[in-house]
Amino acid sequence: NAGVMQNPRHLVRRRGQEARLRCSPMKGHSHVYWYRQLPEEGLKFMVYLQKENIIDESGMPKERFSAEFPKEGPSILRIQQVVRGDSAAYFCASSPNRDSYTFGSGTRLTVV
Amino acid sequence: GENVEQHPSTLSVQEGDSAVIKCTYSDSASNYFPWYKQELGKRPQLIIDIRSNVGEKKDQRIAVTLNKTAKHFSLHITETQPEDSAVYFCAASPPFGNEKLTFGTGTRLTIIP
């Protein structure tokens, strides 16, 4: 089992561009969570998805951010028209049930 | 919603001594409390967790205690080693619904050789 796979590991985008972050959960895990970590800060919940469903998006900004977890393929966190404040590490976690998260290695987004 | 506070934000201890990190939570319905260790530039890794039906759990040099009445839980690391240096995060999760984890703000632990 390869663990939770996130790509890319590092992503540089100019202001106004789009960023797409991918997360492949561990095999057998149907719950996916996205968290954002600003430098020197904790992990902030963004969105929780199960296959084809968004369960909780209470932590995700209403504008420019969207997430999906299609029937086939990885979960995608999409940030449109990125701004400097979007620069952060974005971690995906998956779990087979309510507990026992496993985190991916994260995508470090830098907006220049 | 849940709010988790964590103290201290930084902690330095002499190698071999013990380290204690404390967290409080606000939602009395929360019943799952994991602790994560994050080394610089790496993913958070689960080191120990506790559920609300027990008061203490131990795994070698690491232990976690939970006081449900006071709504606080603590991480104890004994016989600290240089490789224990990292940022530690506590978290809390409610028993139902969206199951998200609410994290504390982290403690940067430095072990002094």
Side-chain angles (χ1 to χ4, degrees), chain A residues 37 48 56 98-99 103 105, chain B residues 38 43 51 94 98-99:
Chain A
Q37 186 176 36
Y48 161 39
D56 180 357
R98 191 177 70 77
D99 306 325
F103 279 92
S105 296
Chain B
Q38 187 178 30
R43 75 183 76 189
R51 299 176 197 275
N98 52 40
E99 302 127 2

Side-chain angles (χ1 to χ4, degrees), chain A residues 4 10 16 29-30 35 38 40 48 50 54-55 81 101:
Chain A
V4 179
H10 300 275
H29 287 195
S30 59
Y35 286 80
L38 295 170
E40 302 296 318
Y48 161 39
Q50 293 183 25
I54 296 175
I55 308 301
Q81 299 173 346
Y101 278 34

Side-chain angles (χ1 to χ4, degrees), chain A residues 19-34:
Chain A
R20 278 186 181 238
L21 289 62
R22 295 174 190 79
C23 169
S24 296
M26 288 182 70
K27 188 175 181 181
H29 287 195
S30 59
H31 302 248
V32 167
Y33 310 80
W34 285 93

